[in-house]
Amino acid sequence: MLVHLDAAYSLARWLVKDEHCAQDLVQDAYVKAMRYFDSFRGGDSRPWILGIVRNTCYTWLGDQKRMGHYIEFRDDLDAGDEGLEWVSPHDNPETLLMQKDQREQLNAAIEALPVAFREVLILREMEDLSYEDISQVLHVPQGTVMSRLSRARALLRKSLAHLQT
């Protein structure tokens, strides 16, 4: 299960929009996975563990909503390891700034998606899960996965096109 830790964190991070909470939730999910490992029926463990992470995140989000808390995403804190990026010698400061701006716009557009569309987009495009695996993680039919993914892509294109104008 440890080979899927990065995917688990990525999913949690995009769902709860908070780096530290995502780390805690992934840890909780892995503890649950160890506790309920007997329910794992073999096969690919990735959809199984990501399903547990997803459920853990939704439970936490529901608790936060009931308690009246909200989660704030801050680009300045959650920007990642931008200083560690590989820079081509052909990139000039203007190109680098434009790339950073485009990356920020894309992240903002993804975060603005409704959670049902955001999670399917993350699982397919960033975690490269198959439709079948996504179906297992989300507990929905594959047709629903495909329609949500299509809708998510359309909303993302619309949002990004709106920013270009």
Side-chain angles (χ1 to χ4, degrees), residues 26-157:
V26 168
Q27 184 176 3
D28 291 348
Y30 269 73
V31 168
K32 288 177 187 176
M34 287 179 12
R35 187 177 308 135
Y36 297 106
F37 189 73
D38 292 343
S39 70
F40 179 59
R41 295 189 183 18
D44 189 4
S45 59
R46 192 172 189 194
W48 184 74
I49 192 67
L50 291 179
I52 295 171
V53 169
R54 176 183 181 262
N55 292 339
T56 302
C57 289
Y58 279 140
T59 299
W60 183 83
L61 287 168
D63 291 345
Q64 297 302 305
K65 191 173 186 179
R66 278 191 295 279
M67 292 188 317
H69 296 120
Y70 66 95
I71 301 167
E72 179 182 346
F73 178 78
R74 294 189 42 200
D75 280 333
D76 58 330
L77 296 177
D78 298 324
D81 298 328
E82 291 178 3
L84 300 177
E85 291 180 22
W86 181 78
V87 178
S88 166
H90 303 291
D91 289 338
N92 61 40
E94 182 181 7
T95 303
L96 293 173
L97 184 60
M98 288 174 48
Q99 289 172 348
K100 182 181 181 211
D101 186 49
Q102 289 171 346
R103 192 171 40 252
E104 289 172 356
Q105 288 177 359
L106 178 61
N107 285 343
I110 291 171
E111 290 205 17
L113 290 173
V115 70
F117 298 132
R118 186 172 60 234
E119 69 184 356
V120 74
L121 187 74
I122 297 304
L123 291 171
R124 179 68 185 144
E125 302 300 341
M126 294 183 185
E127 297 306 325
D128 201 31
L129 262 64
S130 68
Y131 294 134
E132 181 180 350
D133 288 346
I134 296 170
S135 173
Q136 289 176 11
V137 170
L138 304 182
H139 304 289
V140 297
Q142 284 186 34
T144 302
V145 169
M146 291 187 283
S147 68
R148 284 183 187 174
L149 185 58
S150 175
R151 182 78 173 130
R153 288 173 176 160
L155 288 170
L156 194 57
R157 275 191 302 273

